[in-house]
Amino acid sequence: MASGQGRVLELAVLGSLHETPLHGYELRKRLNALLGMFRAFSYGSLYPCLRSLLARGLIAEEQPASTTIVGGRSKIVYKLTAEGKERLQDLLTQAGPSAWEDESFGVHFAFFRHTEAEVRLRILEGRRSRLEERLDAVRTALARTRERLDSYTLELQRHGLESVEREVRWLNELIATERRASEEPGRDTTSTDE
Amino acid sequence: MASGQGRVLELAVLGSLHETPLHGYELRKRLNALLGMFRAFSYGSLYPCLRSLLARGLIAEEQPASTTIVGGRSKIVYKLTAEGKERLQDLLTQAGPSAWEDESFGVHFAFFRHTEAEVRLRILEGRRSRLEERLDAVRTALARTRERLDSYTLELQRHGLESVEREVRWLNELIATERRASEEPGRDTTSTDE
DNA sequence: GCGTCGATGTATCGAGCCGATACATCCCGA
DNA sequence: TCGGGATGTATCGGCTCGATACATCGACGC
């Protein structure tokens, strides 16, 4: 168990490499463009993660192949191995708290294309109850202390509450869409695999 | 420099204790109610922080005082020292990137009541440019890869973009309000100190 | 030709922070 | 009376970030 390595980053890397082989620098750029609004991975976590994945045989270095030896600029291109693809499918199938917490939800969502419809639905719903829990907690706390709060604190609470409420509405729409798509006779959005 | 201890948590603790003395458990509850929507501090960072603050003389243990010795339940109540108040004023005056990043902005905002009007304005504006930077980056990246993206990724981007745009509009309103208040002749919102 | 500046690229280190966990006490209801 | 849930303090392993170091490449002016 010495690796651990934070399932989120692992999923993000595996998922990205599933599309096309990449080297570290480019991988980071893609990831941060993909998730730009939610999080930003740093080299300090990316490189250790790549090393761990390499050691576990989930990714492999791609030979420069006679064609690409132009400059000779050192560049290590990684690609997914068969085991890596299995592991990716595994991670994509997991619909637990680790899929709908703040830091991980975005990453899971970003790869929904490769996720089964049923799992998508469970993650969406899990995310929604997570947010509703938080909403309840804050609303309760707020009700007990409303008088004592100054206008800035109040405004912060109001803004936070509103943002989360909006995300819940967003999730509601997504869930409805998913339900409609899965019940619809003709079309199947799942597109079995790649 | 052995302490460091993450200025954000330090500010949060000092700011909370400025209102009233508290013990760890209660402190955490207040903090997480105050910032519920944005972050949640854990004991794993809170207690080390308290220890560090104690060692630096910024907070002190409060004697149970003859009145409160009812149960005898071990409980360590901390209060701000004079040095602690100075340090708090110091932290509240800092308007640097450390004040408007994702993790810290909420905390700074929560204590705006104790912050000078000028500093408030600079933090608000700093936060806004930070978000606008991010907006630019993502929009640029999006424009270059739009065709290649599946509908889920696109939806994620759209939602993220929209959320950040909303926060920018919120900041715009706050900034306008601040400006109006500071230019207004009669009222002064700053309320010099406690 | 020559310097240099910014983007590309790999990599590590210190330090902060979280989640899980352990342990103890108090109080309330079945 | 007994167990569970809130209160309360505390630590540990391990992940992650920000800063930093180092090297090469291409383009630009001069």
Side-chain angles (χ1 to χ4, degrees), chain A residues 43-58:
Chain A
Y43 293 125
S45 36
L46 180 58
Y47 282 112
C49 177
L50 285 172
R51 220 182 309 128
S52 157
L53 289 172
L54 195 57
R56 288 190 284 158
L58 301 178

Side-chain angles (χ1 to χ4, degrees), chain A residues 3-5 40 45 73:
Chain A
S3 43
Q5 208 56 59
S45 36
R73 164 85 132 289

Side-chain angles (χ1 to χ4, degrees), chain A residues 26-83:
Chain A
E26 178 72 12
L27 183 53
R28 179 178 188 267
K29 277 209 315 185
R30 294 228 186 175
L31 246 26
N32 288 347
L34 183 63
L35 307 166
M37 293 302 168
F38 308 99
R39 48 181 314 163
F41 295 110
S42 72
Y43 293 125
S45 36
L46 180 58
Y47 282 112
C49 177
L50 285 172
R51 220 182 309 128
S52 157
L53 289 172
L54 195 57
R56 288 190 284 158
L58 301 178
I59 61 176
E61 292 185 28
E62 194 172 56
Q63 273 82 348
S66 40
T67 53
T68 334
I69 308 187
V70 234
R73 164 85 132 289
S74 83
K75 187 187 290 192
I76 308 173
V77 177
Y78 297 98
K79 65 177 180 191
L80 224 49
T81 64
E83 290 89 348

